[in-house]
PDB file of all heavy atoms in Angstrom:
ATOM      1  N   ARG A 710      32.332 -96.367 -99.700  1.00  0.00           N
ATOM      2  CA  ARG A 710      31.579 -97.213 -98.777  1.00  0.00           C
ATOM      3  C   ARG A 710      30.320 -96.501 -98.287  1.00  0.00           C
ATOM      4  O   ARG A 710      29.223 -97.062 -98.282  1.00  0.00           O
ATOM      5  CB  ARG A 710      32.460 -97.604 -97.589  1.00  0.00           C
ATOM      6  CG  ARG A 710      31.794 -98.600 -96.647  1.00  0.00           C
ATOM      7  CD  ARG A 710      32.646 -98.931 -95.440  1.00  0.00           C
ATOM      8  NE  ARG A 710      32.927 -97.759 -94.643  1.00  0.00           N
ATOM      9  CZ  ARG A 710      34.101 -97.137 -94.629  1.00  0.00           C
ATOM     10  NH1 ARG A 710      35.109 -97.572 -95.362  1.00  0.00           N
ATOM     11  NH2 ARG A 710      34.277 -96.061 -93.878  1.00  0.00           N
ATOM     12  N   GLU A 711      30.485 -95.241 -97.872  1.00  0.00           N
ATOM     13  CA  GLU A 711      29.325 -94.471 -97.394  1.00  0.00           C
ATOM     14  C   GLU A 711      28.291 -94.282 -98.497  1.00  0.00           C
ATOM     15  O   GLU A 711      27.083 -94.380 -98.260  1.00  0.00           O
ATOM     16  CB  GLU A 711      29.794 -93.110 -96.864  1.00  0.00           C
ATOM     17  CG  GLU A 711      30.560 -93.156 -95.560  1.00  0.00           C
ATOM     18  CD  GLU A 711      29.668 -93.502 -94.382  1.00  0.00           C
ATOM     19  OE1 GLU A 711      28.526 -93.007 -94.325  1.00  0.00           O
ATOM     20  OE2 GLU A 711      30.121 -94.284 -93.521  1.00  0.00           O
ATOM     21  N   SER A 712      28.747 -94.017 -99.713  1.00  0.00           N
ATOM     22  CA  SER A 712      27.816 -93.797-100.828  1.00  0.00           C
ATOM     23  C   SER A 712      27.000 -95.049-101.128  1.00  0.00           C
ATOM     24  O   SER A 712      25.787 -94.966-101.383  1.00  0.00           O
ATOM     25  CB  SER A 712      28.600 -93.369-102.082  1.00  0.00           C
ATOM     26  OG  SER A 712      29.195 -92.102-101.885  1.00  0.00           O
ATOM     27  N   GLU A 713      27.663 -96.207-101.100  1.00  0.00           N
ATOM     28  CA  GLU A 713      26.950 -97.455-101.362  1.00  0.00           C
ATOM     29  C   GLU A 713      25.867 -97.705-100.311  1.00  0.00           C
ATOM     30  O   GLU A 713      24.737 -98.100-100.645  1.00  0.00           O
ATOM     31  CB  GLU A 713      27.939 -98.622-101.391  1.00  0.00           C
ATOM     32  CG  GLU A 713      28.823 -98.641-102.625  1.00  0.00           C
ATOM     33  CD  GLU A 713      29.881 -99.729-102.555  1.00  0.00           C
ATOM     34  OE1 GLU A 713      29.787-100.583-101.645  1.00  0.00           O
ATOM     35  OE2 GLU A 713      30.798 -99.715-103.392  1.00  0.00           O
ATOM     36  N   GLU A 714      26.200 -97.473 -99.049  1.00  0.00           N
ATOM     37  CA  GLU A 714      25.223 -97.684 -97.974  1.00  0.00           C
ATOM     38  C   GLU A 714      24.054 -96.714 -98.097  1.00  0.00           C
ATOM     39  O   GLU A 714      22.884 -97.094 -97.940  1.00  0.00           O
ATOM     40  CB  GLU A 714      25.904 -97.527 -96.615  1.00  0.00           C
ATOM     41  CG  GLU A 714      26.870 -98.650 -96.270  1.00  0.00           C
ATOM     42  CD  GLU A 714      27.509 -98.449 -94.911  1.00  0.00           C
ATOM     43  OE1 GLU A 714      27.140 -97.472 -94.214  1.00  0.00           O
ATOM     44  OE2 GLU A 714      28.380 -99.265 -94.546  1.00  0.00           O
ATOM     45  N   ARG A 715      24.349 -95.467 -98.400  1.00  0.00           N
ATOM     46  CA  ARG A 715      23.280 -94.470 -98.483  1.00  0.00           C
ATOM     47  C   ARG A 715      22.376 -94.703 -99.697  1.00  0.00           C
ATOM     48  O   ARG A 715      21.166 -94.471 -99.629  1.00  0.00           O
ATOM     49  CB  ARG A 715      23.884 -93.059 -98.526  1.00  0.00           C
ATOM     50  CG  ARG A 715      24.600 -92.691 -97.241  1.00  0.00           C
ATOM     51  CD  ARG A 715      24.898 -91.218 -97.204  1.00  0.00           C
ATOM     52  NE  ARG A 715      25.810 -90.908 -96.122  1.00  0.00           N
ATOM     53  CZ  ARG A 715      26.232 -89.683 -95.839  1.00  0.00           C
ATOM     54  NH1 ARG A 715      25.801 -88.668 -96.569  1.00  0.00           N
ATOM     55  NH2 ARG A 715      27.072 -89.470 -94.841  1.00  0.00           N
ATOM     56  N   LYS A 716      22.978 -95.143-100.776  1.00  0.00           N
ATOM     57  CA  LYS A 716      22.162 -95.452-101.952  1.00  0.00           C
ATOM     58  C   LYS A 716      21.236 -96.618-101.661  1.00  0.00           C
ATOM     59  O   LYS A 716      20.060 -96.607-102.043  1.00  0.00           O
ATOM     60  CB  LYS A 716      23.075 -95.769-103.131  1.00  0.00           C
ATOM     61  CG  LYS A 716      22.333 -95.881-104.458  1.00  0.00           C
ATOM     62  CD  LYS A 716      23.305 -96.010-105.614  1.00  0.00           C
ATOM     63  CE  LYS A 716      22.581 -95.995-106.936  1.00  0.00           C
ATOM     64  NZ  LYS A 716      23.528 -96.086-108.089  1.00  0.00           N
ATOM     65  N   LEU A 717      21.763 -97.627-100.941  1.00  0.00           N
ATOM     66  CA  LEU A 717      20.977 -98.811-100.612  1.00  0.00           C
ATOM     67  C   LEU A 717      19.789 -98.463 -99.717  1.00  0.00           C
ATOM     68  O   LEU A 717      18.675 -98.945 -99.916  1.00  0.00           O
ATOM     69  CB  LEU A 717      21.878 -99.846 -99.932  1.00  0.00           C
ATOM     70  CG  LEU A 717      21.213-101.156 -99.494  1.00  0.00           C
ATOM     71  CD1 LEU A 717      20.683-101.918-100.712  1.00  0.00           C
ATOM     72  CD2 LEU A 717      22.209-102.013 -98.700  1.00  0.00           C
ATOM     73  N   PHE A 718      20.034 -97.587 -98.728  1.00  0.00           N
ATOM     74  CA  PHE A 718      18.991 -97.264 -97.744  1.00  0.00           C
ATOM     75  C   PHE A 718      18.302 -95.917 -98.015  1.00  0.00           C
ATOM     76  O   PHE A 718      17.561 -95.430 -97.173  1.00  0.00           O
ATOM     77  CB  PHE A 718      19.581 -97.283 -96.335  1.00  0.00           C
ATOM     78  CG  PHE A 718      20.047 -98.638 -95.904  1.00  0.00           C
ATOM     79  CD1 PHE A 718      21.398 -98.951 -95.868  1.00  0.00           C
ATOM     80  CD2 PHE A 718      19.134 -99.621 -95.549  1.00  0.00           C
ATOM     81  CE1 PHE A 718      21.832-100.211 -95.482  1.00  0.00           C
ATOM     82  CE2 PHE A 718      19.557-100.876 -95.155  1.00  0.00           C
ATOM     83  CZ  PHE A 718      20.908-101.183 -95.123  1.00  0.00           C
ATOM     84  N   ARG A 719      18.564 -95.344 -99.186  1.00  0.00           N
ATOM     85  CA  ARG A 719      17.910 -94.098 -99.621  1.00  0.00           C
ATOM     86  C   ARG A 719      18.125 -92.954 -98.632  1.00  0.00           C
ATOM     87  O   ARG A 719      17.213 -92.441 -98.025  1.00  0.00           O
ATOM     88  CB  ARG A 719      16.411 -94.328 -99.842  1.00  0.00           C
ATOM     89  CG  ARG A 719      16.084 -95.327-100.952  1.00  0.00           C
ATOM     90  CD  ARG A 719      14.587 -95.459-101.136  1.00  0.00           C
ATOM     91  NE  ARG A 719      14.007 -94.199-101.596  1.00  0.00           N
ATOM     92  CZ  ARG A 719      12.826 -93.744-101.200  1.00  0.00           C
ATOM     93  NH1 ARG A 719      12.122 -94.415-100.298  1.00  0.00           N
ATOM     94  NH2 ARG A 719      12.363 -92.603-101.646  1.00  0.00           N
ATOM     95  N   TYR A 720      19.389 -92.568 -98.509  1.00  0.00           N
ATOM     96  CA  TYR A 720      19.768 -91.405 -97.717  1.00  0.00           C
ATOM     97  C   TYR A 720      20.479 -90.400 -98.623  1.00  0.00           C
ATOM     98  O   TYR A 720      20.960 -90.762 -99.703  1.00  0.00           O
ATOM     99  CB  TYR A 720      20.692 -91.815 -96.565  1.00  0.00           C
ATOM    100  CG  TYR A 720      19.954 -92.389 -95.361  1.00  0.00           C
ATOM    101  CD1 TYR A 720      20.029 -93.747 -95.060  1.00  0.00           C
ATOM    102  CD2 TYR A 720      19.197 -91.571 -94.537  1.00  0.00           C
ATOM    103  CE1 TYR A 720      19.357 -94.275 -93.960  1.00  0.00           C
ATOM    104  CE2 TYR A 720      18.518 -92.077 -93.437  1.00  0.00           C
ATOM    105  CZ  TYR A 720      18.597 -93.429 -93.160  1.00  0.00           C
ATOM    106  OH  TYR A 720      17.929 -93.927 -92.074  1.00  0.00           O
ATOM    107  N   PRO A 721      20.561 -89.113 -98.197  1.00  0.00           N
ATOM    108  CA  PRO A 721      21.277 -88.110 -98.996  1.00  0.00           C
ATOM    109  C   PRO A 721      22.704 -88.575 -99.298  1.00  0.00           C
ATOM    110  O   PRO A 721      23.305 -89.245 -98.466  1.00  0.00           O
ATOM    111  CB  PRO A 721      21.268 -86.867 -98.088  1.00  0.00           C
ATOM    112  CG  PRO A 721      20.075 -87.056 -97.204  1.00  0.00           C
ATOM    113  CD  PRO A 721      19.977 -88.536 -96.989  1.00  0.00           C
ATOM    114  N   PRO A 722      23.235 -88.271-100.499  1.00  0.00           N
ATOM    115  CA  PRO A 722      22.701 -87.325-101.485  1.00  0.00           C
ATOM    116  C   PRO A 722      21.748 -87.930-102.509  1.00  0.00           C
ATOM    117  O   PRO A 722      21.428 -87.284-103.504  1.00  0.00           O
ATOM    118  CB  PRO A 722      23.977 -86.838-102.172  1.00  0.00           C
ATOM    119  CG  PRO A 722      24.884 -88.025-102.139  1.00  0.00           C
ATOM    120  CD  PRO A 722      24.599 -88.723-100.840  1.00  0.00           C
ATOM    121  N   PHE A 723      21.309 -89.168-102.285  1.00  0.00           N
ATOM    122  CA  PHE A 723      20.451 -89.845-103.260  1.00  0.00           C
ATOM    123  C   PHE A 723      18.975 -89.530-103.034  1.00  0.00           C
ATOM    124  O   PHE A 723      18.135 -89.831-103.885  1.00  0.00           O
ATOM    125  CB  PHE A 723      20.707 -91.351-103.208  1.00  0.00           C
ATOM    126  CG  PHE A 723      22.149 -91.689-103.440  1.00  0.00           C
ATOM    127  CD1 PHE A 723      22.988 -91.972-102.373  1.00  0.00           C
ATOM    128  CD2 PHE A 723      22.679 -91.653-104.720  1.00  0.00           C
ATOM    129  CE1 PHE A 723      24.326 -92.258-102.578  1.00  0.00           C
ATOM    130  CE2 PHE A 723      24.017 -91.929-104.930  1.00  0.00           C
ATOM    131  CZ  PHE A 723      24.850 -92.233-103.868  1.00  0.00           C
ATOM    132  N   THR A 724      18.651 -88.964-101.897  1.00  0.00           N
ATOM    133  CA  THR A 724      17.290 -88.498-101.615  1.00  0.00           C
ATOM    134  C   THR A 724      17.380 -87.188-100.837  1.00  0.00           C
ATOM    135  O   THR A 724      18.450 -86.812-100.343  1.00  0.00           O
ATOM    136  CB  THR A 724      16.507 -89.507-100.754  1.00  0.00           C
ATOM    137  OG1 THR A 724      17.207 -89.694 -99.509  1.00  0.00           O
ATOM    138  CG2 THR A 724      16.314 -90.825-101.456  1.00  0.00           C
ATOM    139  N   LYS A 725      16.256 -86.523-100.743  1.00  0.00           N
ATOM    140  CA  LYS A 725      16.095 -85.413 -99.803  1.00  0.00           C
ATOM    141  C   LYS A 725      15.310 -85.944 -98.608  1.00  0.00           C
ATOM    142  O   LYS A 725      14.354 -86.706 -98.782  1.00  0.00           O
ATOM    143  CB  LYS A 725      15.320 -84.258-100.449  1.00  0.00           C
ATOM    144  CG  LYS A 725      16.109 -83.467-101.466  1.00  0.00           C
ATOM    145  CD  LYS A 725      17.053 -82.502-100.778  1.00  0.00           C
ATOM    146  CE  LYS A 725      17.763 -81.618-101.786  1.00  0.00           C
ATOM    147  NZ  LYS A 725      18.705 -80.701-101.105  1.00  0.00           N
ATOM    148  N   ILE A 726      15.717 -85.554 -97.404  1.00  0.00           N
ATOM    149  CA  ILE A 726      14.972 -85.968 -96.212  1.00  0.00           C
ATOM    150  C   ILE A 726      14.332 -84.742 -95.585  1.00  0.00           C
ATOM    151  O   ILE A 726      15.020 -83.793 -95.191  1.00  0.00           O
ATOM    152  CB  ILE A 726      15.876 -86.672 -95.190  1.00  0.00           C
ATOM    153  CG1 ILE A 726      16.413 -87.973 -95.770  1.00  0.00           C
ATOM    154  CG2 ILE A 726      15.098 -86.964 -93.910  1.00  0.00           C
ATOM    155  CD1 ILE A 726      17.185 -88.818 -94.796  1.00  0.00           C
ATOM    156  N   LEU A 727      13.013 -84.756 -95.512  1.00  0.00           N
ATOM    157  CA  LEU A 727      12.264 -83.711 -94.823  1.00  0.00           C
ATOM    158  C   LEU A 727      11.897 -84.235 -93.441  1.00  0.00           C
ATOM    159  O   LEU A 727      11.401 -85.360 -93.315  1.00  0.00           O
ATOM    160  CB  LEU A 727      10.992 -83.362 -95.603  1.00  0.00           C
ATOM    161  CG  LEU A 727      11.172 -83.051 -97.099  1.00  0.00           C
ATOM    162  CD1 LEU A 727       9.814 -82.834 -97.756  1.00  0.00           C
ATOM    163  CD2 LEU A 727      12.064 -81.844 -97.292  1.00  0.00           C
ATOM    164  N   LYS A 728      12.163 -83.444 -92.431  1.00  0.00           N
ATOM    165  CA  LYS A 728      11.831 -83.863 -91.067  1.00  0.00           C
ATOM    166  C   LYS A 728      10.700 -83.019 -90.517  1.00  0.00           C
ATOM    167  O   LYS A 728      10.727 -81.790 -90.617  1.00  0.00           O
ATOM    168  CB  LYS A 728      13.054 -83.752 -90.143  1.00  0.00           C
ATOM    169  CG  LYS A 728      12.752 -84.234 -88.719  1.00  0.00           C
ATOM    170  CD  LYS A 728      14.021 -84.417 -87.895  1.00  0.00           C
ATOM    171  CE  LYS A 728      14.555 -83.115 -87.379  1.00  0.00           C
ATOM    172  NZ  LYS A 728      15.645 -83.308 -86.400  1.00  0.00           N
ATOM    173  N   LEU A 729       9.721 -83.691 -89.951  1.00  0.00           N
ATOM    174  CA  LEU A 729       8.604 -83.020 -89.284  1.00  0.00           C
ATOM    175  C   LEU A 729       8.594 -83.474 -87.829  1.00  0.00           C
ATOM    176  O   LEU A 729       8.468 -84.665 -87.544  1.00  0.00           O
ATOM    177  CB  LEU A 729       7.275 -83.369 -89.964  1.00  0.00           C
ATOM    178  CG  LEU A 729       5.988 -82.920 -89.261  1.00  0.00           C
ATOM    179  CD1 LEU A 729       5.998 -81.434 -88.974  1.00  0.00           C
ATOM    180  CD2 LEU A 729       4.773 -83.297 -90.107  1.00  0.00           C
ATOM    181  N   GLN A 730       8.759 -82.529 -86.937  1.00  0.00           N
ATOM    182  CA  GLN A 730       8.826 -82.832 -85.506  1.00  0.00           C
ATOM    183  C   GLN A 730       7.679 -82.114 -84.806  1.00  0.00           C
ATOM    184  O   GLN A 730       7.423 -80.930 -85.070  1.00  0.00           O
ATOM    185  CB  GLN A 730      10.167 -82.359 -84.950  1.00  0.00           C
ATOM    186  CG  GLN A 730      10.540 -82.927 -83.602  1.00  0.00           C
ATOM    187  CD  GLN A 730      11.946 -82.505 -83.207  1.00  0.00           C
ATOM    188  OE1 GLN A 730      12.188 -81.347 -82.857  1.00  0.00           O
ATOM    189  NE2 GLN A 730      12.880 -83.435 -83.255  1.00  0.00           N
ATOM    190  N   ILE A 731       6.986 -82.828 -83.921  1.00  0.00           N
ATOM    191  CA  ILE A 731       5.904 -82.205 -83.157  1.00  0.00           C
ATOM    192  C   ILE A 731       6.216 -82.324 -81.669  1.00  0.00           C
ATOM    193  O   ILE A 731       6.803 -83.316 -81.216  1.00  0.00           O
ATOM    194  CB  ILE A 731       4.523 -82.819 -83.483  1.00  0.00           C
ATOM    195  CG1 ILE A 731       4.526 -84.339 -83.299  1.00  0.00           C
ATOM    196  CG2 ILE A 731       4.090 -82.441 -84.886  1.00  0.00           C
ATOM    197  CD1 ILE A 731       3.161 -84.977 -83.473  1.00  0.00           C
ATOM    198  N   LYS A 732       5.802 -81.295 -80.915  1.00  0.00           N
ATOM    199  CA  LYS A 732       6.105 -81.228 -79.486  1.00  0.00           C
ATOM    200  C   LYS A 732       4.880 -80.775 -78.708  1.00  0.00           C
ATOM    201  O   LYS A 732       4.098 -79.940 -79.186  1.00  0.00           O
ATOM    202  CB  LYS A 732       7.250 -80.236 -79.226  1.00  0.00           C
ATOM    203  CG  LYS A 732       8.549 -80.562 -79.927  1.00  0.00           C
ATOM    204  CD  LYS A 732       9.611 -79.511 -79.602  1.00  0.00           C
ATOM    205  CE  LYS A 732      10.932 -79.820 -80.258  1.00  0.00           C
ATOM    206  NZ  LYS A 732      11.979 -78.830 -79.919  1.00  0.00           N
ATOM    207  N   HIS A 733       4.739 -81.318 -77.489  1.00  0.00           N
ATOM    208  CA  HIS A 733       3.686 -80.854 -76.584  1.00  0.00           C
ATOM    209  C   HIS A 733       4.024 -81.304 -75.169  1.00  0.00           C
ATOM    210  O   HIS A 733       4.688 -82.323 -74.977  1.00  0.00           O
ATOM    211  CB  HIS A 733       2.316 -81.397 -76.988  1.00  0.00           C
ATOM    212  CG  HIS A 733       1.175 -80.638 -76.384  1.00  0.00           C
ATOM    213  ND1 HIS A 733       0.655 -80.942 -75.144  1.00  0.00           N
ATOM    214  CD2 HIS A 733       0.472 -79.569 -76.831  1.00  0.00           C
ATOM    215  CE1 HIS A 733      -0.325 -80.101 -74.864  1.00  0.00           C
ATOM    216  NE2 HIS A 733      -0.466 -79.255 -75.871  1.00  0.00           N
ATOM    217  N   LYS A 734       3.556 -80.542 -74.179  1.00  0.00           N
ATOM    218  CA  LYS A 734       3.844 -80.877 -72.782  1.00  0.00           C
ATOM    219  C   LYS A 734       3.060 -82.097 -72.300  1.00  0.00           C
ATOM    220  O   LYS A 734       3.406 -82.705 -71.290  1.00  0.00           O
ATOM    221  CB  LYS A 734       3.565 -79.677 -71.884  1.00  0.00           C
ATOM    222  CG  LYS A 734       2.108 -79.225 -71.883  1.00  0.00           C
ATOM    223  CD  LYS A 734       1.922 -77.986 -71.029  1.00  0.00           C
ATOM    224  CE  LYS A 734       0.476 -77.510 -71.047  1.00  0.00           C
ATOM    225  NZ  LYS A 734       0.280 -76.283 -70.230  1.00  0.00           N
ATOM    226  N   ASP A 735       1.975 -82.459 -73.010  1.00  0.00           N
ATOM    227  CA  ASP A 735       1.147 -83.614 -72.650  1.00  0.00           C
ATOM    228  C   ASP A 735       1.471 -84.764 -73.599  1.00  0.00           C
ATOM    229  O   ASP A 735       1.269 -84.657 -74.817  1.00  0.00           O
ATOM    230  CB  ASP A 735      -0.332 -83.239 -72.754  1.00  0.00           C
ATOM    231  CG  ASP A 735      -1.256 -84.329 -72.209  1.00  0.00           C
ATOM    232  OD1 ASP A 735      -0.948 -85.516 -72.407  1.00  0.00           O
ATOM    233  OD2 ASP A 735      -2.282 -83.973 -71.603  1.00  0.00           O
ATOM    234  N   VAL A 736       1.976 -85.875 -73.061  1.00  0.00           N
ATOM    235  CA  VAL A 736       2.366 -86.994 -73.912  1.00  0.00           C
ATOM    236  C   VAL A 736       1.172 -87.579 -74.654  1.00  0.00           C
ATOM    237  O   VAL A 736       1.307 -88.051 -75.799  1.00  0.00           O
ATOM    238  CB  VAL A 736       3.092 -88.076 -73.065  1.00  0.00           C
ATOM    239  CG1 VAL A 736       2.143 -88.740 -72.079  1.00  0.00           C
ATOM    240  CG2 VAL A 736       3.756 -89.109 -73.965  1.00  0.00           C
ATOM    241  N   TYR A 737      -0.014 -87.562 -74.041  1.00  0.00           N
ATOM    242  CA  TYR A 737      -1.212 -88.086 -74.709  1.00  0.00           C
ATOM    243  C   TYR A 737      -1.535 -87.253 -75.954  1.00  0.00           C
ATOM    244  O   TYR A 737      -1.852 -87.797 -77.018  1.00  0.00           O
ATOM    245  CB  TYR A 737      -2.395 -88.071 -73.743  1.00  0.00           C
ATOM    246  CG  TYR A 737      -3.718 -88.330 -74.416  1.00  0.00           C
ATOM    247  CD1 TYR A 737      -4.081 -89.616 -74.819  1.00  0.00           C
ATOM    248  CD2 TYR A 737      -4.605 -87.272 -74.675  1.00  0.00           C
ATOM    249  CE1 TYR A 737      -5.290 -89.849 -75.457  1.00  0.00           C
ATOM    250  CE2 TYR A 737      -5.812 -87.501 -75.307  1.00  0.00           C
ATOM    251  CZ  TYR A 737      -6.156 -88.791 -75.696  1.00  0.00           C
ATOM    252  OH  TYR A 737      -7.352 -89.007 -76.333  1.00  0.00           O
ATOM    253  N   ILE A 738      -1.432 -85.926 -75.829  1.00  0.00           N
ATOM    254  CA  ILE A 738      -1.765 -85.052 -76.960  1.00  0.00           C
ATOM    255  C   ILE A 738      -0.751 -85.217 -78.084  1.00  0.00           C
ATOM    256  O   ILE A 738      -1.105 -85.238 -79.273  1.00  0.00           O
ATOM    257  CB  ILE A 738      -1.849 -83.576 -76.498  1.00  0.00           C
ATOM    258  CG1 ILE A 738      -3.075 -83.391 -75.602  1.00  0.00           C
ATOM    259  CG2 ILE A 738      -1.906 -82.628 -77.692  1.00  0.00           C
ATOM    260  CD1 ILE A 738      -3.245 -82.005 -75.037  1.00  0.00           C
TER     261      ILE A 738
END
Side-chain angles (χ1 to χ4, degrees):
R710 186 183 61 255
E711 289 289 320
S712 294
E713 288 174 11
E714 290 180 4
R715 294 193 192 181
K716 189 172 185 179
L717 179 63
F718 295 105
R719 297 182 64 218
Y720 279 109
F723 304 100
T724 60
K725 286 282 185 181
I726 296 187
L727 309 175
K728 182 167 79 170
L729 171 54
Q730 196 174 73
I731 54 174
K732 301 180 179 182
H733 198 273
K734 62 183 179 181
D735 188 323
V736 67
Y737 169 76
I738 291 178

